[in-house]
Amino acid sequence: MTERKDPAYVSFTDAAALIVRSGLAGSMTPRGLRYMAQARSSKDLPDEQRWPFGLEPGQEPYLVAGRTRMMRTALLLEYLEKFPPTGRGADKGPRRNPS
């Protein structure tokens, strides 16, 4: 069987699927990954924990292809291995009204 080689750059959509396929998270959506990118771009975090892509010093710029932001796959996977995704997980259905 031929070994699957990841592309050099991935979009948020492709990255979400890659994260699950790589076993870094049980589930991930492009929206969840974008939320993680925004939340982890906070200047309150130590530099090594900040999202590695963006326009700030120490971040690698996104590669823009049309209207799509692309990230270097190797850097994304390296970052997520050090700082794995956390969260509540997949939607499990309706929640109880607290009132």
Side-chain angles (χ1 to χ4, degrees), residues 1 4 6-7 14-15 17 24 28 34 41 44 47 50 52 62 64 67 80 84 88 92 95 99:
M1 185 167 156
R4 184 177 199 160
D6 296 325
D14 294 335
L24 293 169
M28 178 64 66
R34 285 185 198 96
S41 291
D44 297 335
D47 287 344
R50 289 185 63 220
Y62 290 102
V64 179
R67 293 178 39 191
L80 292 175
R88 68 174 182 83
K92 302 222 182 342
R95 281 160 283 302
S99 37

Side-chain angles (χ1 to χ4, degrees), residues 13-55:
T13 301
D14 294 335
L18 177 63
I19 290 166
V20 173
R21 195 171 58 241
S22 299
L24 293 169
S27 65
M28 178 64 66
T29 64
R31 184 177 180 182
L33 187 58
R34 285 185 198 96
Y35 178 82
M36 183 190 332
Q38 184 178 17
R40 291 186 178 186
S41 291
S42 170
K43 294 190 190 280
D44 297 335
L45 290 173
D47 287 344
E48 67 274 0
Q49 291 181 17
R50 289 185 63 220
W51 186 250
F53 303 99
L55 299 175

Side-chain angles (χ1 to χ4, degrees), residues 2-18:
T2 305
E3 184 178 329
R4 184 177 199 160
K5 186 161 171 72
D6 296 325
Y9 286 84
V10 290
S11 66
F12 279 89
T13 301
D14 294 335
L18 177 63

